[in-house]
Amino acid sequence: MQAIRDAILAGASGEDLAALPLPGSYRAAHVRRDEADMFAGVESVDKDPRKSLHVSEVAVPELAPDEAYVAVMASSINFNTVWTSIFEPLPTFGFLDRLGKESAWGARHALDYHVVGSDASGVVLRVGSAVRNWRTGDRVVIHCNYVDDQDPSAHDDSMLAANQRIWGFESNFGGLADLTVVKANQLMPKARHLSWEEAAVSALCNSTAYRMLVSRNGAAMKQGDRVLVWGATGGLGSYAVQHVLNGGGTPVGVVSSPDKVDLLHGMGVEAVIDRRAAGYRFWSDEHTQDESEWRRFGKDVRGLVGVDPDIVFEHPGRQTMGASVFVCKRAGTIVTCAATSGYMIEYDNRHLWMKLKTIKGSHFANYREAWDANQLICDGKVVPPLSALYALEEVGEAAYQVHHNLHEGKIGVLCLAPEAGLGIDDAELRQRVGVDRITHFRGHRA
Ligand SMILES: NC(=O)c1ccc[n+]([C@@H]2O[C@H](COP(=O)([O-])OP(=O)(O)OC[C@H]3O[C@@H](n4cnc5c(N)ncnc54)[C@H](OP(=O)(O)O)[C@@H]3O)[C@@H](O)[C@H]2O)c1
């Protein structure tokens, strides 16, 4: 990989890269099947990704006709890497084994190690014989919707495919590595004005937030909508607030520190609630929710934007869902893609049916949605909320930060890129988009 990395850094052409031999192995972050029980009996919060995530050489898998090898310059931490590394709610080896039974190519994935990571920026090294639109040397980012396009269920909305998977979570050979193997229909152009690490952090969270809010498959937000965004400086939330602002809506961001309030104000989000300062106790004990606290929260939201939110952007799950259903406007939509604090949800159904509200489930994004969300990044209309950067060897610490909610925005990981700031191809566009905007989260941390 060293020769490939040097060639990329020296600006090698596709032809030059095609002439370089591929290695037999590559450096990758992975969990091990024989360690899947290592945290048995340990509380979730104490399960430590630094113990379970390993970085070492693994074998380069064979390439299927519809796939590409990509030299990964940078990647990012998503919450799914936290789930894999703490083996919750289940060890991800079950996903790999199921994929392994699907086809001869699928069998490559059922290994005793799982290479994690669902984001990457990099350079195409080789394409399979069936790949039409991509060539060696293309600079790309990778979205994580892994779909078998021979399945009829994948052809209305590919997120509805019976065997839809998330690359690097439900498949092997993920992006936290120096090389990855992906389907060609996961590739998208890399934004020319961004560095490798800035480009690497968006595909998963930006596309997810786009589908949840902008797409007809999600809440189909319209101009003027008030949108309550939980975790508004987190991975998903920091894209969600940008989509709301771009779409002529008003975000109400909920965060948990004055620092994060500040960060949002700097992005142009005026209505912000510090949930920790407000001290909401939606649950009075483990089994009982407190409607008076939902009311207090609703009053605070109305105090900021005058009305109840048209849309609630949900992902914390058990801790917040009761409040989300309560505060959402009559006939409004609660759109949810996750349940970080617990997936057995409780809410008062009277508030849902009497006020004709909708709870809408959403999961990642189809290729069209991911492509359109990526175009917003390429045009500089959405900027990456990269706040911190780790070397691949430090991936356990990076995942630990996300597990413990110690981060803001997105954490980037350098893979083949030896340092930050490389890979920018259009400095003029970068200036036009605004370096301060692009580096807002990093500058804030510094
Ligand atoms: N289905 C999908 O396609 C999809 C895609 C991406 C992510 N996800 C899931 O979505 C969840 C969030 O992902 P992310 O990347 O945004 O994670 P993240 O970067 O950790 O951000 C989540 C934010 O949620 C807030 N939060 C955490 N616990 C909370 C609680 N109990 N009550 C209120 N707010 C809470 C935190 O903000 P404050 O502390 O500042 O309030 C945090 O910044 C994860 O479970 C992830 O697996 C699903």
Side-chain angles (χ1 to χ4, degrees):
M1 290 307 303
Q2 189 67 37
I4 289 171
R5 177 179 86 158
D6 292 347
I8 292 170
L9 294 176
S13 67
E15 246 171 38
D16 295 340
L17 286 174
L20 288 175
L22 289 180
S25 69
Y26 66 105
R27 201 172 54 126
H30 56 273
V31 293
R32 293 182 187 148
R33 193 186 287 265
D34 62 4
E35 292 184 348
D37 292 329
M38 70 189 293
F39 297 131
V42 177
E43 288 285 315
S44 273
V45 66
D46 296 323
K47 294 180 180 173
D48 191 339
R50 294 172 297 193
K51 294 188 176 144
S52 54
L53 280 171
H54 307 281
V55 178
S56 66
E57 292 285 310
V58 300
V60 173
E62 213 184 320
L63 191 70
D66 61 346
E67 292 179 341
Y69 287 127
V70 177
V72 179
M73 301 305 284
S75 181
S76 91
I77 302 294
N78 284 293
F79 215 93
N80 63 7
T81 288
V82 175
W83 296 127
T84 300
S85 66
I86 63 172
F87 305 103
E88 281 197 18
L90 296 164
T92 42
F93 290 100
F95 300 141
L96 303 186
D97 293 343
R98 223 164 297 145
L99 174 54
K101 289 188 189 120
E102 217 172 76
S103 67
W105 291 113
R108 292 170 301 166
H109 294 253
L111 298 170
D112 287 336
Y113 57 86
H114 185 181
V115 179
V116 293
S118 300
D119 262 324
S121 65
V123 180
V124 174
L125 289 181
R126 299 282 191 280
V127 295
S129 56
V131 174
R132 288 182 294 114
N133 297 334
W134 303 94
R135 285 197 306 245
T136 303
D138 285 345
R139 295 172 158 234
V140 295
V141 291
I142 300 169
H143 77 75
C144 63
N145 185 15
Y146 181 94
V147 179
D148 171 4
D149 62 10
Q150 293 177 36
D151 187 332
S153 64
H155 284 268
D156 184 356
D157 169 9
S158 60
M159 288 309 297
L160 299 182
N163 55 4
Q164 187 279 330
R165 292 184 164 87
I166 298 295
W167 159 67
F169 179 61
E170 293 161 298
S171 76
N172 216 324
F173 320 128
L176 284 161
D178 288 343
L179 182 132
T180 186
V181 182
V182 296
K183 288 186 183 280
N185 62 15
Q186 290 177 252
L187 299 174
M188 307 191 293
K190 170 191 166 287
R192 293 173 51 77
H193 62 292
L194 298 180
S195 65
W196 293 116
E197 65 279 5
E198 289 163 352
V201 301
S202 292
L204 191 147
C205 281
N206 183 38
S207 309
T208 304
Y210 181 90
R211 179 176 172 115
M212 287 174 77
L213 287 177
V214 182
S215 169
R216 278 171 306 194
N217 291 318
M221 186 191 80
K222 59 183 190 334
Q223 292 183 41
D225 278 354
R226 271 76 164 182
V227 183
L228 179 73
V229 179
W230 289 105
T233 59
L236 288 172
S238 52
Y239 291 101
V241 295
Q242 295 188 66
H243 291 306
V244 178
L245 288 169
N246 286 351
T250 304
V252 182
V254 185
V255 288
S256 63
S257 72
D259 211 43
K260 291 179 176 179
V261 173
D262 222 41
L263 196 49
L264 281 179
H265 285 155
M267 295 171 80
V269 180
E270 288 169 16
V272 183
I273 292 177
D274 180 340
R275 67 181 170 98
R276 192 158 294 157
Y280 304 117
R281 285 178 54 88
F282 299 140
W283 290 81
S284 41
D285 63 46
E286 213 184 307
H287 307 288
T288 324
Q289 298 202 59
D290 182 349
E291 183 167 328
S292 69
E293 284 293 275
W294 298 346
R295 274 185 204 290
R296 182 160 77 88
F297 177 55
K299 201 167 158 213
D300 289 348
V301 173
R302 248 176 282 126
L304 286 168
V305 292
V307 292
D308 295 328
D310 302 88
I311 299 170
V312 179
F313 185 87
E314 238 301 329
H315 50 87
R318 183 169 174 82
Q319 287 297 325
T320 54
M321 193 65 162
S324 292
V325 170
F326 179 81
V327 301
C328 187
K329 171 183 134 174
R330 188 180 287 268
T333 302
I334 303 102
V335 60
T336 176
C337 74
T340 315
S341 66
Y343 49 81
M344 294 305 281
I345 300 294
E346 274 179 42
Y347 61 87
D348 185 333
N349 204 28
R350 293 169 298 179
H351 295 302
L352 189 86
W353 97 70
M354 293 296 287
K355 295 196 175 153
L356 302 106
K357 304 178 189 185
T358 301
I359 297 176
K360 176 93 192 167
S362 189
H363 186 40
F364 188 58
N366 62 37
Y367 198 8
R368 173 85 255 163
E369 291 160 339
W371 190 277
D372 290 349
N374 185 56
Q375 191 59 49
L376 295 173
I377 300 276
C378 292
D379 293 345
K381 290 181 176 150
V382 170
V383 293
L386 174 71
S387 64
L389 197 54
Y390 288 79
L392 183 59
E393 302 291 342
E394 302 165 320
V395 66
E397 178 60 35
Y400 177 89
Q401 295 283 316
V402 174
H403 183 25
H404 289 267
N405 194 17
L406 299 173
H407 68 302
E408 289 161 345
K410 295 291 305 175
I411 289 186
V413 176
L414 290 177
C415 299
L416 285 175
E419 62 193 71
L422 303 174
I424 298 167
D425 296 316
D426 189 338
E428 197 214 309
L429 176 58
R430 188 174 176 85
Q431 289 302 326
R432 258 188 289 134
V433 172
V435 176
D436 287 352
R437 261 186 80 217
I438 296 169
T439 57
H440 180 57
F441 275 65
R442 280 210 91 183
H444 189 258
R445 266 237 157 162

